Amino acid sequence: MTTEDKNAATAQTSKRYRLNDTSIAARPLEPALYLVATPIGNLGDITIRALETLAGADVLACEDTRVTRVLLDRYGIENRPYAYHEYNADEAGARLLATLEAGKSVALVSDAGTPLVSDPGYRLGQLAIEAGHRVVPIPGASAPLAALVGSGLPNDAFLFAGFLPTKDKAKRDRLRELSKVPATLIFFESPHRIGDTLVAAADELGKDRPASVCRELTKTFEEFRRGPLGDLAADYADKTVKGEIVLVIGPPAPDAAPDAADVDILLAELSTTMPTAKAATEAAKLTGLPRKELYQRLLELKGAA
């Protein structure tokens, strides 16, 4: 056996992970960029597929090698992690793409949660796709989804909006932009800014709008504080907060249907300056009511006149 063959055999032997006291060999990976979700707090929230991928990848890239090393040590993975973060993304990204070009496998993890969600991995994934490389998501823990399902707020439609701007005016402008979105809103927020953000959200979205402050998800001091934005803003006004936070805000209340008498007045006014069909179309834009119903109603009003 040649030295090269021995090295390859040794490398394959070291590609193992441990579950409890059992050491398991990782199966070979096909060449691809693997985006591996890791726990957001509780290290038990890792999937077997993720462990196998972390152990078996030719190259393992991460935001912070110290953070990832803790996870690897927990599961007996010897793979050496290499740093890939916003400060070295150009240089490290080029090396990772070259690794893919050489027909090898690359696993990418963030410090916690799913890569490419509010982290610099987005650019690497984009470049890999543009270069024609296979990109494989390895799903798992996700702070936005954990917060959503624990918040008790509607989850049939939701929008993850990342971090809000830090400056008050820009933050309020962004909240106003999102105020009418018919979905539950999900934000990441700093513990040092959550109080000011709740005040801004209560002002711009309404004090009665339901929300949940989700802190330290899956960790020892996990906490959900639920209530109207106005109440939460008061609760956090002078509160010292620690830990990672996800803010979940329920969707806006549906607009109340316009009063029938007001609709009749509007139709009458519009019909004095425009044809019936056009008046019905304009009334539909202003009220949100079906044009067909408004057209029929206008014909009835004209017939009764």
Side-chain angles (χ1 to χ4, degrees), residues 27-301:
R27 291 171 294 183
L29 293 176
E30 296 181 2
L33 172 62
Y34 294 85
L35 307 175
V36 185
T38 55
I40 59 176
N42 190 320
L43 294 183
D45 294 336
I46 188 77
T47 69
I48 293 175
R49 187 181 178 203
L51 292 175
E52 187 167 55
T53 303
L54 296 178
D58 294 314
V59 174
L60 171 56
C62 64
E63 280 188 88
D64 188 325
T65 57
R66 296 165 298 181
V67 172
T68 298
R69 188 73 262 168
V70 172
L71 175 66
L72 299 181
D73 289 345
R74 164 74 178 268
Y75 291 100
I77 297 173
E78 297 180 8
N79 209 348
R80 178 186 174 189
Y82 293 89
Y84 173 80
H85 46 69
E86 60 180 320
Y87 301 108
N88 74 345
D90 291 340
E91 179 185 351
R95 291 201 303 270
L96 294 174
L97 288 172
T99 299
L100 292 171
E101 199 65 42
K104 296 183 177 182
S105 58
V106 174
L108 175 68
V109 300
S110 60
D111 283 349
T114 302
L116 278 62
V117 178
S118 289
D119 75 33
Y122 165 74
R123 182 59 179 155
L124 180 62
Q126 187 180 53
L127 291 173
I129 291 171
E130 290 174 355
H133 300 298
R134 186 180 174 208
V135 174
V136 181
I138 308 296
S142 171
L145 292 180
L148 176 65
V149 298
S151 70
L153 295 169
N155 57 27
D156 55 327
F158 59 91
L159 171 66
F160 173 63
F163 285 94
L164 285 164
T166 57
K167 294 188 176 180
D168 186 66
K169 183 180 183 307
K171 179 182 296 184
R172 290 172 179 271
D173 288 345
R174 179 61 172 153
L175 287 167
R176 277 194 295 272
E177 288 175 2
L178 299 172
S179 63
K180 297 298 183 183
V181 174
T184 294
L185 305 176
I186 306 173
F187 303 97
F188 285 157
E189 189 50 280
S190 159
H192 309 296
R193 293 193 294 266
I194 185 61
D196 291 339
T197 293
L198 286 168
V199 170
D203 290 344
E204 304 302 332
L205 305 181
K207 290 179 170 52
D208 294 330
R209 192 149 162 178
S212 178
V213 177
C214 313
R215 188 178 67 85
E216 291 291 86
L217 292 168
T218 79
K219 300 176 185 176
T220 302
F221 299 104
E222 177 181 84
E223 178 185 54
F224 291 88
R225 296 289 295 273
R226 307 175 181 91
L229 279 171
D231 291 354
L232 290 173
D235 289 344
Y236 282 86
D238 299 311
K239 188 180 181 69
T240 300
V241 184
K242 295 181 179 180
E244 297 177 335
I245 291 175
V246 182
L247 174 61
V248 185
I249 303 175
D255 292 332
D259 183 79
D262 292 335
V263 172
D264 286 352
I265 292 172
L266 175 63
L267 287 170
E269 291 178 350
L270 291 173
S271 65
T272 62
T273 59
M274 57 186 70
T276 302
K278 188 173 181 180
T281 299
E282 186 64 24
K285 292 179 183 177
L286 295 172
T287 64
L289 296 174
R291 178 190 176 281
K292 185 176 181 180
E293 292 180 11
L294 293 169
Y295 181 79
Q296 185 61 40
R297 179 56 182 162
L298 186 51
L299 291 178
E300 293 173 0
L301 292 173

